[in-house]
Amino acid sequence: MANGSKLESLIWEEFQNDWEALAFESKAILANIENEDIAIVANIDLDNLPPGKDRNSVVKQRIGQNFFRSAVLNAYESRCCITGIAMDTLLVASHIKPWKNSDIKTERTNPTNGLCLNALHDKAFDQGLISINKKFKIMVSNELKYDYIDELTKNWIVSFEGKRIETPHKFLPDSRFIEYHNDAVFRG
């Protein structure tokens, strides 16, 4: 990926170990463009579906993630800092500087590296489709504004652009993490 764009790199990271998801996603995009049912575009035979099975696997577990989640949700009084949603099951303690790029001792479990977001805005934030600036105002990428997504979803995210997030009563997001997100993750 030495000559690839940032977007190509993100897509590669998302799908490199899940080719089935990539194939399905491409068929879903094609169905949307052609205004056709995905079952037709993907040649899905509903009478001959593959079995859905479980398998055991070894997984990496994030140690300290529970502490981070508790500290971030507590700081934001269990409310999404963008929408105000207050349902714990829909809230995510989102890392501003991603876990994989964060220092083990000083950044990964640091609550100043977190935002309390609802699941949709967390995914948009992780994918660099939204960010915040140092004044805690929401930024929306041009890619999201002009991408092929439904208008309701697009409008619900874009409508928050320029608005200030609700800041936490403790553990204010550190400007170093915000700067990192804007430079390395946000798609501007």
Side-chain angles (χ1 to χ4, degrees):
M1 299 292 309
N3 296 317
S5 72
K6 189 175 180 181
L7 179 58
E8 289 169 327
S9 180
L10 289 170
I11 292 169
W12 173 256
E13 284 179 28
E14 183 173 351
F15 293 112
Q16 71 178 345
N17 293 319
D18 193 354
W19 294 104
E20 284 184 36
L22 175 62
F24 179 79
E25 188 70 25
S26 67
K27 295 293 184 184
I29 291 168
L30 183 61
N32 189 27
I33 290 170
E34 295 179 354
N35 200 23
E36 190 68 66
D37 188 293
I38 191 167
I40 294 169
V41 172
N43 297 321
I44 296 173
D45 178 3
L46 293 176
D47 295 324
N48 245 344
L49 296 173
K53 299 178 182 178
D54 292 325
R55 69 176 171 164
N56 292 326
S57 65
V58 177
V59 296
K60 244 196 273 191
Q61 183 178 7
R62 292 182 174 184
I63 307 300
Q65 183 68 25
N66 286 338
F67 165 80
F68 179 77
R69 177 178 166 74
S70 294
V72 170
L73 265 62
N74 181 274
Y76 286 89
E77 298 176 348
S78 293
R79 291 190 166 282
C80 172
C81 67
I82 294 177
T83 64
I85 290 173
M87 188 174 203
D88 277 1
T89 56
L90 295 178
L91 297 177
V92 178
S94 187
H95 283 84
I96 301 168
K97 181 177 181 182
W99 173 278
K100 67 182 179 181
N101 303 109
S102 294
D103 180 76
I104 293 171
K105 293 186 182 218
T106 62
E107 299 176 337
R108 283 187 171 178
T109 59
N110 184 340
T112 66
N113 186 22
L115 297 173
C116 182
L117 297 171
N118 68 72
L120 175 63
H121 285 90
D122 169 66
K123 187 70 169 177
F125 189 81
D126 282 352
Q127 296 299 312
L129 297 171
I130 63 172
S131 192
I132 60 171
N133 64 25
K134 291 181 182 178
K135 293 183 179 183
F136 307 113
K137 291 190 176 183
I138 299 161
M139 302 183 305
V140 178
S141 84
N142 287 330
E143 185 178 328
L144 181 66
K145 293 177 196 174
Y146 306 113
D147 204 355
Y148 296 105
I149 64 171
D150 65 277
E151 287 300 311
L152 185 62
T153 305
K154 185 184 295 187
N155 290 337
W156 198 57
I157 294 175
V158 174
S159 69
F160 292 101
E161 185 172 37
K163 294 182 180 173
R164 195 171 192 275
I165 65 167
E166 288 295 323
T167 52
H169 65 279
K170 58 184 171 186
F171 307 129
L172 197 65
D174 190 306
S175 62
R176 294 174 299 136
F177 300 132
I178 294 170
E179 189 174 309
Y180 181 92
H181 190 271
N182 291 333
D183 291 345
V185 181
F186 185 56
R187 300 183 198 179

